[in-house]
Amino acid sequence: MAQVYFYINALLYASIAIWATLNPEGAGASMGYGPFGPDGRSEFLTVYGGMVTGLALIFVILAWDTTNAKLGLLIAIAFYAPVLCYRIATGIGHYPMLGILRGAVILEAALLLSALVLYYRHR
């Protein structure tokens, strides 16, 4: 089951990376970023293209090698818990959130809860 979880994460992050790379202005605007200057566009592409591709690759590797499933789930928990806390805190501080960001809260909460359940079942 952890393998399926890792593949879902990999597909999710690969999709985000492709979207951000092929349409950075559209992807950025849907997330609340204003028009990009050259430095902002470079940073957006670096994070949402490069780093998110790295996350996709990490989850693919974890899916391929299930001997490290427990560690992979712990990594997912360590990743999603602070992201979700920041997302909720900034969402409250900057209400109302864009629809795509509200969706991100729900998705990240589901991914965190799934990782927690799988981790504790894996013990």
Side-chain angles (χ1 to χ4, degrees), residues 2-28:
Q3 186 177 30
V4 172
Y5 174 81
F6 295 139
Y7 276 125
I8 289 169
N9 278 270
L11 180 62
L12 171 70
Y13 286 110
S15 299
I16 293 168
I18 291 167
W19 177 41
T21 300
L22 296 179
N23 185 8
E25 284 77 16

Side-chain angles (χ1 to χ4, degrees), residues 50-89:
M51 189 172 71
V52 171
T53 297
L55 285 169
L57 292 172
I58 288 168
F59 282 112
V60 164
I61 291 166
L62 290 167
W64 285 348
D65 182 5
T66 56
T67 58
N68 292 313
K70 189 172 179 181
L71 175 61
L73 292 167
L74 193 58
I75 289 168
I77 292 165
F79 176 72
Y80 285 117
V83 167
L84 188 59
C85 288
Y86 270 83
R87 177 96 56 206
I88 291 169

